[in-house]
Amino acid sequence: MGPLYHLLKEEDRRRAAAEARRVLRPGGLLLASFISRYAPLRDVAKFEPDWIVEHQADAEAVLARGVLVAPTGFTDAYFAHPTEVLPFMKECGYEALDLVACEGVISMIEEKVNGLTGAAWEAWVDLNHRLGKDPSVHGGAEHLLYVGRRT
């Protein structure tokens, strides 16, 4: 599983995907993680809401190019637009099997759900997993997990 968000340049992300494809057997599986384009804005809205005023240029750079160079305390990163993941991985020689919003619909509001056990916990996990596959949820989660097969 490769965190492609640590590679700021598209050519580096393509090179990483190509190297993974090279070492995979035909039909081999690849798990690749991405951070959603809107994740850093969701994060600062929750934890540092004044950030948007102090770092307007950074916010606009994330929206326009997906690149953020560490003013939030996080590492330099590339934040993928949810609609670019599937075409990017296809161009890199993979057949998509799944794309899931890891945090799903309870992203950043999961405190009480995480305290549950038993049937209630299982019901939320099931619902969150099912809805995490809905493309309309992908932009509202922090991480996307791509599952693909080498073609």
Side-chain angles (χ1 to χ4, degrees):
M1 183 163 132
L4 294 174
Y5 48 86
H6 288 296
L7 303 172
L8 301 183
K9 296 178 183 172
E10 182 176 347
E11 65 192 56
D12 293 336
R13 292 188 297 280
R14 287 190 182 279
R15 190 167 51 246
E19 179 61 14
R21 188 175 189 284
R22 184 188 71 77
V23 299
L24 280 172
R25 293 180 180 154
L29 297 180
L30 174 78
L31 301 175
S33 55
F34 295 83
I35 300 181
S36 169
R37 177 72 48 99
Y38 311 120
L41 301 176
R42 291 173 49 80
D43 186 72
V44 296
K46 181 173 182 178
F47 298 108
E48 301 177 58
D50 290 334
W51 183 92
I52 194 79
V53 174
E54 300 163 8
H55 298 278
Q56 285 181 340
D58 293 322
E60 291 303 321
V62 168
L63 291 173
R65 297 186 325 274
V67 175
L68 185 63
V69 180
T72 64
F74 188 66
T75 185
D76 296 353
Y78 177 74
F79 302 94
H81 193 281
T83 61
E84 79 184 57
V85 174
L86 293 175
F88 173 80
M89 296 306 292
K90 184 176 183 175
E91 290 170 11
C92 291
Y94 296 93
E95 171 193 1
L97 300 177
D98 218 343
L99 183 62
V100 181
C102 296
E103 296 83 6
V105 297
I106 62 167
S107 177
M108 294 213 180
I109 57 170
E110 72 277 1
E111 294 84 9
K112 288 189 178 188
V113 170
N114 284 339
L116 296 172
T117 60
W121 167 256
E122 294 297 329
W124 277 107
V125 168
D126 177 64
L127 179 66
N128 207 44
H129 181 255
R130 285 188 292 130
L131 295 178
K133 295 174 181 242
D134 181 341
S136 68
V137 174
H138 293 169
E142 284 69 42
H143 298 86
L144 300 173
L145 178 63
Y146 172 87
V147 181
R149 176 180 292 134
R150 179 185 162 189
T151 55

